[in-house]
PDB file of all heavy atoms in Angstrom:
ATOM      1  N   ARG A 171       0.486  45.181  30.296  1.00  0.00           N
ATOM      2  CA  ARG A 171      -1.016  45.120  30.388  1.00  0.00           C
ATOM      3  C   ARG A 171      -1.417  44.338  31.635  1.00  0.00           C
ATOM      4  O   ARG A 171      -2.671  44.325  31.900  1.00  0.00           O
ATOM      5  CB  ARG A 171      -1.666  44.486  29.166  1.00  0.00           C
ATOM      6  CG  ARG A 171      -1.526  45.168  27.833  1.00  0.00           C
ATOM      7  CD  ARG A 171      -2.433  44.623  26.729  1.00  0.00           C
ATOM      8  NE  ARG A 171      -2.124  43.164  26.471  1.00  0.00           N
ATOM      9  CZ  ARG A 171      -1.172  42.919  25.444  1.00  0.00           C
ATOM     10  NH1 ARG A 171      -0.619  43.818  24.820  1.00  0.00           N
ATOM     11  NH2 ARG A 171      -0.910  41.528  25.360  1.00  0.00           N
ATOM     12  N   GLY A 172      -0.432  43.716  32.251  1.00  0.00           N
ATOM     13  CA  GLY A 172      -0.836  42.941  33.455  1.00  0.00           C
ATOM     14  C   GLY A 172      -1.217  41.481  33.052  1.00  0.00           C
ATOM     15  O   GLY A 172      -1.790  40.774  33.964  1.00  0.00           O
ATOM     16  N   GLN A 173      -0.967  41.049  31.866  1.00  0.00           N
ATOM     17  CA  GLN A 173      -1.278  39.739  31.391  1.00  0.00           C
ATOM     18  C   GLN A 173      -0.365  38.769  32.037  1.00  0.00           C
ATOM     19  O   GLN A 173       0.837  38.940  32.031  1.00  0.00           O
ATOM     20  CB  GLN A 173      -1.152  39.704  29.957  1.00  0.00           C
ATOM     21  CG  GLN A 173      -1.672  38.369  29.270  1.00  0.00           C
ATOM     22  CD  GLN A 173      -1.701  38.378  27.712  1.00  0.00           C
ATOM     23  OE1 GLN A 173      -1.818  39.435  27.165  1.00  0.00           O
ATOM     24  NE2 GLN A 173      -1.671  37.286  27.095  1.00  0.00           N
ATOM     25  N   GLU A 174      -0.879  37.630  32.495  1.00  0.00           N
ATOM     26  CA  GLU A 174      -0.112  36.547  33.149  1.00  0.00           C
ATOM     27  C   GLU A 174       0.629  35.719  31.994  1.00  0.00           C
ATOM     28  O   GLU A 174      -0.014  35.361  31.126  1.00  0.00           O
ATOM     29  CB  GLU A 174      -1.011  35.597  33.915  1.00  0.00           C
ATOM     30  CG  GLU A 174      -0.200  34.408  34.546  1.00  0.00           C
ATOM     31  CD  GLU A 174      -1.091  33.400  35.260  1.00  0.00           C
ATOM     32  OE1 GLU A 174      -2.337  33.725  35.326  1.00  0.00           O
ATOM     33  OE2 GLU A 174      -0.560  32.429  35.701  1.00  0.00           O
ATOM     34  N   LEU A 175       1.863  35.836  32.055  1.00  0.00           N
ATOM     35  CA  LEU A 175       2.749  35.188  31.002  1.00  0.00           C
ATOM     36  C   LEU A 175       3.949  34.661  31.528  1.00  0.00           C
ATOM     37  O   LEU A 175       4.791  35.467  32.065  1.00  0.00           O
ATOM     38  CB  LEU A 175       2.882  36.086  29.821  1.00  0.00           C
ATOM     39  CG  LEU A 175       3.341  35.631  28.587  1.00  0.00           C
ATOM     40  CD1 LEU A 175       2.409  34.474  27.966  1.00  0.00           C
ATOM     41  CD2 LEU A 175       3.526  36.702  27.556  1.00  0.00           C
ATOM     42  N   HIS A 176       4.271  33.459  31.412  1.00  0.00           N
ATOM     43  CA  HIS A 176       5.571  32.900  31.851  1.00  0.00           C
ATOM     44  C   HIS A 176       6.255  32.308  30.557  1.00  0.00           C
ATOM     45  O   HIS A 176       5.697  31.446  29.916  1.00  0.00           O
ATOM     46  CB  HIS A 176       5.215  31.828  32.911  1.00  0.00           C
ATOM     47  CG  HIS A 176       4.367  32.220  33.936  1.00  0.00           C
ATOM     48  ND1 HIS A 176       4.660  33.077  35.024  1.00  0.00           N
ATOM     49  CD2 HIS A 176       3.014  32.054  34.155  1.00  0.00           C
ATOM     50  CE1 HIS A 176       3.800  33.331  35.838  1.00  0.00           C
ATOM     51  NE2 HIS A 176       2.727  32.642  35.321  1.00  0.00           N
ATOM     52  N   VAL A 177       7.574  32.622  30.506  1.00  0.00           N
ATOM     53  CA  VAL A 177       8.416  32.076  29.359  1.00  0.00           C
ATOM     54  C   VAL A 177       9.478  31.020  29.969  1.00  0.00           C
ATOM     55  O   VAL A 177      10.172  31.437  30.833  1.00  0.00           O
ATOM     56  CB  VAL A 177       9.040  33.110  28.659  1.00  0.00           C
ATOM     57  CG1 VAL A 177       9.743  32.610  27.474  1.00  0.00           C
ATOM     58  CG2 VAL A 177       8.116  34.214  28.160  1.00  0.00           C
ATOM     59  N   HIS A 178       9.319  29.837  29.576  1.00  0.00           N
ATOM     60  CA  HIS A 178      10.062  28.723  30.136  1.00  0.00           C
ATOM     61  C   HIS A 178      11.154  28.250  29.144  1.00  0.00           C
ATOM     62  O   HIS A 178      11.013  28.337  27.922  1.00  0.00           O
ATOM     63  CB  HIS A 178       9.243  27.499  30.381  1.00  0.00           C
ATOM     64  CG  HIS A 178       8.040  27.916  31.163  1.00  0.00           C
ATOM     65  ND1 HIS A 178       8.019  27.924  32.612  1.00  0.00           N
ATOM     66  CD2 HIS A 178       6.704  28.133  30.818  1.00  0.00           C
ATOM     67  CE1 HIS A 178       6.802  28.312  33.017  1.00  0.00           C
ATOM     68  NE2 HIS A 178       6.059  28.342  31.968  1.00  0.00           N
ATOM     69  N   GLY A 179      12.246  27.846  29.625  1.00  0.00           N
ATOM     70  CA  GLY A 179      13.379  27.178  28.866  1.00  0.00           C
ATOM     71  C   GLY A 179      13.530  25.702  29.195  1.00  0.00           C
ATOM     72  O   GLY A 179      13.923  25.379  30.381  1.00  0.00           O
ATOM     73  N   TRP A 180      13.153  24.844  28.364  1.00  0.00           N
ATOM     74  CA  TRP A 180      13.132  23.421  28.596  1.00  0.00           C
ATOM     75  C   TRP A 180      14.002  22.680  27.640  1.00  0.00           C
ATOM     76  O   TRP A 180      14.212  23.185  26.458  1.00  0.00           O
ATOM     77  CB  TRP A 180      11.732  22.783  28.598  1.00  0.00           C
ATOM     78  CG  TRP A 180      10.812  23.244  29.670  1.00  0.00           C
ATOM     79  CD1 TRP A 180      11.115  24.146  30.703  1.00  0.00           C
ATOM     80  CD2 TRP A 180       9.545  22.838  29.810  1.00  0.00           C
ATOM     81  NE1 TRP A 180       9.967  24.130  31.513  1.00  0.00           N
ATOM     82  CE2 TRP A 180       8.934  23.453  30.963  1.00  0.00           C
ATOM     83  CE3 TRP A 180       8.604  22.035  29.029  1.00  0.00           C
ATOM     84  CZ2 TRP A 180       7.637  23.270  31.411  1.00  0.00           C
ATOM     85  CZ3 TRP A 180       7.364  21.858  29.542  1.00  0.00           C
ATOM     86  CH2 TRP A 180       6.801  22.478  30.715  1.00  0.00           C
ATOM     87  N   ILE A 181      14.449  21.463  27.899  1.00  0.00           N
ATOM     88  CA  ILE A 181      15.180  20.758  26.947  1.00  0.00           C
ATOM     89  C   ILE A 181      14.657  19.211  27.143  1.00  0.00           C
ATOM     90  O   ILE A 181      14.314  18.817  28.134  1.00  0.00           O
ATOM     91  CB  ILE A 181      16.772  20.805  27.051  1.00  0.00           C
ATOM     92  CG1 ILE A 181      17.405  20.253  25.858  1.00  0.00           C
ATOM     93  CG2 ILE A 181      17.178  20.185  28.428  1.00  0.00           C
ATOM     94  CD1 ILE A 181      18.816  20.886  25.682  1.00  0.00           C
ATOM     95  N   TYR A 182      14.714  18.594  25.897  1.00  0.00           N
ATOM     96  CA  TYR A 182      14.187  17.205  25.809  1.00  0.00           C
ATOM     97  C   TYR A 182      15.216  16.229  25.417  1.00  0.00           C
ATOM     98  O   TYR A 182      16.059  16.476  24.672  1.00  0.00           O
ATOM     99  CB  TYR A 182      13.006  17.168  24.744  1.00  0.00           C
ATOM    100  CG  TYR A 182      12.381  15.820  24.382  1.00  0.00           C
ATOM    101  CD1 TYR A 182      11.514  15.185  25.336  1.00  0.00           C
ATOM    102  CD2 TYR A 182      12.689  15.188  23.209  1.00  0.00           C
ATOM    103  CE1 TYR A 182      10.964  13.993  25.012  1.00  0.00           C
ATOM    104  CE2 TYR A 182      12.121  13.971  23.004  1.00  0.00           C
ATOM    105  CZ  TYR A 182      11.309  13.317  23.833  1.00  0.00           C
ATOM    106  OH  TYR A 182      10.689  12.210  23.528  1.00  0.00           O
ATOM    107  N   SER A 183      15.181  15.019  26.039  1.00  0.00           N
ATOM    108  CA  SER A 183      16.084  14.002  25.767  1.00  0.00           C
ATOM    109  C   SER A 183      15.393  12.940  25.058  1.00  0.00           C
ATOM    110  O   SER A 183      14.415  12.277  25.489  1.00  0.00           O
ATOM    111  CB  SER A 183      16.663  13.364  27.142  1.00  0.00           C
ATOM    112  OG  SER A 183      17.487  12.198  26.778  1.00  0.00           O
ATOM    113  N   ILE A 184      15.826  12.590  23.770  1.00  0.00           N
ATOM    114  CA  ILE A 184      15.212  11.604  23.022  1.00  0.00           C
ATOM    115  C   ILE A 184      15.551  10.273  23.580  1.00  0.00           C
ATOM    116  O   ILE A 184      14.798   9.305  23.362  1.00  0.00           O
ATOM    117  CB  ILE A 184      15.687  11.750  21.512  1.00  0.00           C
ATOM    118  CG1 ILE A 184      15.258  13.127  20.854  1.00  0.00           C
ATOM    119  CG2 ILE A 184      15.287  10.669  20.657  1.00  0.00           C
ATOM    120  CD1 ILE A 184      15.929  13.361  19.579  1.00  0.00           C
ATOM    121  N   LYS A 185      16.692  10.173  24.249  1.00  0.00           N
ATOM    122  CA  LYS A 185      17.064   8.802  24.862  1.00  0.00           C
ATOM    123  C   LYS A 185      16.092   8.282  25.986  1.00  0.00           C
ATOM    124  O   LYS A 185      16.019   7.065  26.087  1.00  0.00           O
ATOM    125  CB  LYS A 185      18.521   8.903  25.449  1.00  0.00           C
ATOM    126  CG  LYS A 185      19.547   9.127  24.285  1.00  0.00           C
ATOM    127  CD  LYS A 185      20.961   9.132  24.846  1.00  0.00           C
ATOM    128  CE  LYS A 185      22.017   9.383  23.770  1.00  0.00           C
ATOM    129  NZ  LYS A 185      23.380   9.301  24.471  1.00  0.00           N
ATOM    130  N   ASP A 186      15.538   9.202  26.711  1.00  0.00           N
ATOM    131  CA  ASP A 186      14.666   8.710  27.830  1.00  0.00           C
ATOM    132  C   ASP A 186      13.237   9.361  27.735  1.00  0.00           C
ATOM    133  O   ASP A 186      12.380   8.914  28.530  1.00  0.00           O
ATOM    134  CB  ASP A 186      15.308   8.896  29.129  1.00  0.00           C
ATOM    135  CG  ASP A 186      15.500  10.459  29.402  1.00  0.00           C
ATOM    136  OD1 ASP A 186      14.931  11.312  28.719  1.00  0.00           O
ATOM    137  OD2 ASP A 186      16.254  10.706  30.396  1.00  0.00           O
ATOM    138  N   GLY A 187      12.942  10.223  26.710  1.00  0.00           N
ATOM    139  CA  GLY A 187      11.649  10.841  26.501  1.00  0.00           C
ATOM    140  C   GLY A 187      11.346  11.766  27.629  1.00  0.00           C
ATOM    141  O   GLY A 187      10.160  12.180  27.765  1.00  0.00           O
ATOM    142  N   LEU A 188      12.276  12.331  28.435  1.00  0.00           N
ATOM    143  CA  LEU A 188      11.925  13.179  29.606  1.00  0.00           C
ATOM    144  C   LEU A 188      12.384  14.639  29.235  1.00  0.00           C
ATOM    145  O   LEU A 188      13.312  14.873  28.483  1.00  0.00           O
ATOM    146  CB  LEU A 188      12.709  12.782  30.750  1.00  0.00           C
ATOM    147  CG  LEU A 188      12.346  11.468  31.295  1.00  0.00           C
ATOM    148  CD1 LEU A 188      13.056  11.126  32.619  1.00  0.00           C
ATOM    149  CD2 LEU A 188      10.708  11.378  31.656  1.00  0.00           C
ATOM    150  N   LEU A 189      11.473  15.587  29.592  1.00  0.00           N
ATOM    151  CA  LEU A 189      11.857  16.943  29.596  1.00  0.00           C
ATOM    152  C   LEU A 189      12.588  17.393  30.839  1.00  0.00           C
ATOM    153  O   LEU A 189      12.298  16.923  31.909  1.00  0.00           O
ATOM    154  CB  LEU A 189      10.520  17.729  29.555  1.00  0.00           C
ATOM    155  CG  LEU A 189       9.713  17.686  28.201  1.00  0.00           C
ATOM    156  CD1 LEU A 189       8.278  18.131  28.366  1.00  0.00           C
ATOM    157  CD2 LEU A 189      10.324  18.502  27.102  1.00  0.00           C
TER     158      LEU A 189
END
Side-chain angles (χ1 to χ4, degrees):
R171 292 191 300 269
Q173 185 172 338
E174 180 186 354
L175 190 59
H176 311 282
V177 184
H178 310 275
W180 292 358
I181 196 156
Y182 175 72
S183 173
I184 296 170
K185 291 183 177 180
D186 61 18
L188 296 177
L189 289 163

